[in-house]
Structure formats: C-alpha cells, structure tokens
C-alpha cells in the first residue's frame, strides 16, 4: 500500500470538500505547478509573474516549459507581490500571475484578482505555506483560479512530500487530469527513504548539538537514506519534466495532518500571538502584514545583523537557518542569474532576504521552546 491505496482518494475527497473544486495530486508542489503551467498551454515566448523572494522550485517549474519567470518586487510588510510593481511588469506576453502567501502572511488578493480580471489572465495562489481553516483567513485559497498546495516536510501540512493543484476552471481541469493520469510511480526505495525521514530526524534530534547527532545524519546521508529537498540541477535552475504520483503512504501522512488542520493551525496561531506580544514588550518592529489570528508557517522579523545573530545562536544549538536568507531566489546556494534575475532588479526583496530572521512555529515547537528562543534573542539584541 506504499504506492497505491485508499488514502489517495480519501485525501482527494477531503480537499475537494474543503475547496469545492477539482483536485489533482502529484508527488510535490513543484511538479503540481509544472502540470498546471503545461495545462494552461504556457510555454516558449510566454511570461509568468512570480515574486522575487521565493523558492527556486517555483520559477524552475515555469522555466522547464520554456516560458520566462518574470520576477517582481515585494511589499516588505507582506513579503508578497507588490500590486503596483505587478502592473508595471505586465506585458502582452504575461499568461499568469502566481501570488505567494509567504510564511502564511496573506498576499494582497483583492488587488491581484482585479489585475488578473482586467488582463484576463489566471491568478494562481501559492498556498504552500498556509492552508486556511474555519478560523480563517477566509479568502486565502478561495480567490485564485487555481491553488497550489505543497505537502513537503516544512509546509503548512506535511506528507514528507506531495503537492496538489486545486482547480476552479473545469476547462483546464481536464488537461491536468490527463497529466495526473500519465504520472509515474516512485520506486519503493524512494518511498522507503521518504518514510524513514521523520524517523531518522526524530532519532538524531536530541543529539543534534553533539557530534554524535551530526555524525548519524552524515552517515544516513552517505548511505543515501535522506531524501534531498533540492537537487544540484534544481539549484542551478533546472527541473526534470517527469511527473510522479503522490505515493499512497505520503497521502496517508498528509491526510492525517489535514484532519488535524485546525489543531495544527491553532498551535501556529498561539506561537504567532506569543511572538507578537514579545515584539511589543521588547520594542521589536513587526511586519504590518502579520496579524494575531494568522497560523504563520514561521514568524519573520527584520533585524540588523540577522546573519550574525543566527550564527551566534547556532553556537548555542539554536538553529534558525531555514534556507530563506541571503538570496532572492532561495536557498542561498542558488545562482539567481540562472533564472534571469539580475542584481538590483528587485531591491526590496534583496533587502528583505538580508535582514530577515524567522522564528519557528511548527508543530514540534513548544511555547517553552519559544520562550527560550526569545530569551536568547534578547541576549543577542543587547550585545
Ligand atoms: C512558496 C513555495 N511554493 C512552492 C513550493 C514547492 O513545494 P515542493 O517542495 O513540494 O515542491 C515551495 C517549496 O519550498 C515553496 O516554498
């Protein structure tokens, strides 16, 4: 039942009920996006607007079709597309806009919807970092023509891997369906590695500060037991065009988290509120897009010397490096020019990735952990 089983259909039904739309499942968010871009007949000579300050796999999924990802600057208060900048970037070649709810902070959906309607192009909501629940935010995942979901290991919910396209357009749904029907299975070894991942990390976590924890992970990595999040090709702007099925085992894991979505989101809301209170108490500036009712995937702050603070905390076994620093197309090891980004194109995104320091809100992070983290941050800020 690792490859096939009832979990796939159960998960699809649960998502269909939530979004009241067609649901297509793939083995990752990047493959889901590629399937959507292909289904929209976007290719050579076309442009798709994405924000600077994104994960490399998003522009990769556009570039692999032959289309050009056009990077647009962000609003630093939402870390999402700036609608004014979008207006100036639109050309007759623009075939879609992807708006990313970065770390769960809502993108300016109303403005972007209006721009898309004016230009008769689809709006794709990238909900990799947030899946709204009964407590909101209400318009997230409900405004775009399409919604992209990821069930990767650090996403809103995790199946270790996985992704979905939610489609409100039946004309396009038929084409995505055909692509989903033609997907390939992962090998059993690949699924084994995916299933071992949470186990191996759980074993190593208590020892991570000691050499033994790091050595254990290194050994797992040498034995190729740890699935990598990004391949070397992906970091240099290339994505494989092959699409894979969401393994039933990963669908089961993602479904089990999806059925607990409210509980997981409430935990994230509790930590979001805690960090907000701490920012108010200590006079740390807050991004205006952050509200206390948001189930943030992480809590971003802008601080001077963010990288120095991260390095200093690392020496205390507090690991805040999350791949979303130091580069507008993340992670830092990506060469942005391989995707056509030139230094200085999007200055606010460039500032943001240098100044950002993000605090964890994931289900494994307790309030006690958050208190300890804030205490350590206070020490850093006084130095
Ligand atoms: C904003 C965003 N969208 C989409 C994706 C793609 O998700 P996946 O890792 O499942 O391919 C990512 C992955 O990091 C992401 O951060």
């Amino acid at each position: 039942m690792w490859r096939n089983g009832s979990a796939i259909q159960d998960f699809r039904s649960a998502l269909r009920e939530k979004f009241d739309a067609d649901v297509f499942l793939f083995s990752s968010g990047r493959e889901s996006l590629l399937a959507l871009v292909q289904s929209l007949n976007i290719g050579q000579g076309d442009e798709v607007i994405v924000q600077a300050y994104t994960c490399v796999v998003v522009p990769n999924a556009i570039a692999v079709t032959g289309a050009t990802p056009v990077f647009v600057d962000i609003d630093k208060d939402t870390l999402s597309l700036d609608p004014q900048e979008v207006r100036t970037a639109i050309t007759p070649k623009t075939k879609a806009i992807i708006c990313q709810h970065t770390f769960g902070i809502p993108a300016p959906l109303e403005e972007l919807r209006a721009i898309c309607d004016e230009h008769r192009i689809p709006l794709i909501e990238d909900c990799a970092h947030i899946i709204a629940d009964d407590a909101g935010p209400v318009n997230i995942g409900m405004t775009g023509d399409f919604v992209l979901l990821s069930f990767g290991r650090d996403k809103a919910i995790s199946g270790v891997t996985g992704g979905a396209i939610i489609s409100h357009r039946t004309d396009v749904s038929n084409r995505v369906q055909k692509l989903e029907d033609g997907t390939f299975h992962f090998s059993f070894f690949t699924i084994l590695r995916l299933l071992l991942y949470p186990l191996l990390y759980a074993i190593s976590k208590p020892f991570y500060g000691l050499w033994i924890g790091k050595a254990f992970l290194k050994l797992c990595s040498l034995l190729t037991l740890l699935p990598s999040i990004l391949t070397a090709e992906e970091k240099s702007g290339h994505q494989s065009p092959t699409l894979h099925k969401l393994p039933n085992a990963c669908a089961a894991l993602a479904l089990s988290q999806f059925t607990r979505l409210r509980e997981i989101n409430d935990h994230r809301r509790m930590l979001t509120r805690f960090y907000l209170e701490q920012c108010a108490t200590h006079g740390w500036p807050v991004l205006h897009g952050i509200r206390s009712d948001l189930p943030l995937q992480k809590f971003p702050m802008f601080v001077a010397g963010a990288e120095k603070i991260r390095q200093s905390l690392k020496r205390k076994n507090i690991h805040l490096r999350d791949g979303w620093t130091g580069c507008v197309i993340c992670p830092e090891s990506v060469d942005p020019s391989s995707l056509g980004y030139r230094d200085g194109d999007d200055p606010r995104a460039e500032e943001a990735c240098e100044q950002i320091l993000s605090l964890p809100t994931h289900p494994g992070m307790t309030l006690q952990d958050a208190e300890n983290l804030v205490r350590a941050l206070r020490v850093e800020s006084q130095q």
Side-chain angles (χ1 to χ4, degrees):
M1 287 161 65
W2 280 9
R3 278 178 167 170
N4 284 312
S6 58
I8 296 175
Q9 288 315 329
D10 292 347
F11 189 33
R12 195 191 305 277
S13 305
L15 289 171
R16 197 184 284 139
E17 195 179 323
K18 174 174 174 51
F19 289 97
D20 191 21
D22 298 325
V23 177
F24 304 97
L25 298 171
F26 296 89
S27 76
S28 63
R30 63 202 81 173
E31 287 188 8
S32 308
L33 181 58
L34 168 57
L36 175 61
V37 175
Q38 285 177 330
S39 302
L40 288 166
N41 292 326
I42 294 173
Q44 200 74 42
D46 297 329
E47 294 176 352
V48 177
I49 288 183
V50 289
Q51 65 173 72
Y53 199 49
T54 189
C55 175
V56 66
V57 298
V58 176
N60 278 356
I62 299 162
V64 68
T65 67
T68 306
V70 174
F71 296 97
V72 167
D73 212 352
I74 55 167
D75 174 345
K76 277 179 75 182
D77 272 321
T78 59
L79 299 177
S80 297
L81 282 172
D82 178 338
Q84 271 320 105
E85 300 282 345
V86 171
R87 282 192 183 278
T88 53
I90 287 198
T91 73
K93 291 183 190 167
T94 309
K95 293 294 179 296
I97 294 176
I98 301 179
C99 85
Q100 175 181 298
H101 303 293
T102 310
F103 309 152
I105 305 174
L109 279 170
E110 270 179 37
E111 289 101 313
L112 294 172
R113 181 72 264 175
I115 295 172
C116 285
D117 290 346
E118 218 173 283
H119 293 269
R120 294 170 182 271
I121 50 175
L123 178 66
I124 302 169
E125 271 185 76
D126 182 341
C127 288
H129 297 173
I130 182 168
I131 301 181
D133 56 32
D134 309 339
V138 280
N139 55 353
I140 286 204
M142 297 296 172
T143 311
D145 301 86
F146 305 97
V147 178
L148 166 65
L149 299 179
S150 162
F151 315 118
R153 52 202 90 165
D154 60 347
K155 301 302 188 310
I157 58 168
S158 166
V160 185
T161 193
I165 288 298
I166 311 293
S167 167
H168 290 282
R169 293 234 332 242
T170 42
D171 54 324
V172 181
S173 292
N174 298 338
R175 292 197 285 269
V176 193
Q177 180 68 65
K178 276 203 190 105
L179 290 176
E180 192 195 313
D181 292 344
T183 48
F184 293 92
H185 280 296
F186 273 152
S187 69
F188 282 110
F189 181 62
T190 301
I191 302 175
L192 172 71
R193 291 194 311 163
L194 291 165
L195 293 178
L196 274 179
Y197 172 84
L199 208 66
L200 296 178
Y201 263 92
I203 293 170
S204 72
K205 201 175 159 201
F207 309 107
Y208 194 73
L210 312 169
W211 68 268
I212 189 166
K214 288 197 190 95
F216 175 73
L217 283 182
K218 186 86 193 153
L219 180 68
C220 294
S221 171
L222 286 174
L223 295 173
T224 65
L225 286 178
L226 289 179
S228 58
I229 293 179
L230 287 171
T231 62
E233 293 77 43
E234 284 172 329
K235 286 183 194 164
S236 55
H238 300 288
Q239 175 172 335
S240 157
T242 311
L243 299 176
H244 297 91
K245 290 186 198 308
L246 174 65
N248 188 59
C250 298
L253 292 175
L255 176 60
S256 107
Q257 290 219 331
F258 185 69
T259 51
R260 294 193 298 116
L261 180 65
R262 181 65 199 262
E263 187 192 322
I264 292 171
N265 277 354
D266 278 347
H267 180 81
R268 293 186 188 278
R269 286 186 180 99
M270 180 271 290
L271 290 175
T272 300
R273 269 196 306 276
F274 172 75
Y275 291 134
L276 273 174
E277 283 159 16
Q278 295 302 312
C279 285
T281 308
H282 303 299
W284 297 334
V286 174
L287 276 67
H288 293 309
I290 298 182
R291 302 190 317 248
S292 60
D293 61 335
L294 292 175
L296 292 188
Q297 184 233 13
K298 56 186 79 162
F299 186 97
M301 300 180 354
F302 291 131
V303 294
E307 184 53 29
K308 223 170 118 213
I309 295 176
R310 261 189 300 275
Q311 279 173 12
S312 168
L313 290 177
K314 190 175 163 196
R315 288 193 283 276
K316 298 175 185 159
N317 200 24
I318 297 175
H319 301 267
L320 292 187
R321 187 176 274 272
D322 62 356
W324 285 78
T325 59
C327 188
V328 289
I329 305 177
C330 303
E332 206 170 351
S333 46
V334 168
D335 172 10
S337 67
S338 64
L339 285 152
Y341 185 89
R342 288 162 310 177
D343 276 352
D345 276 355
D346 296 321
R348 275 172 280 152
E350 290 181 16
E351 278 167 27
C353 69
E354 292 304 329
Q355 299 165 350
I356 203 150
L357 185 80
S358 295
L359 313 183
T361 60
H362 58 75
M365 183 83 186
T366 62
L367 183 58
Q368 177 73 57
D369 292 335
E371 283 168 357
N372 293 342
L373 173 56
V374 166
R375 215 167 292 126
L377 274 179
R378 281 187 61 200
V379 173
E380 292 303 322
S381 65
Q382 281 156 7
Q383 278 170 4

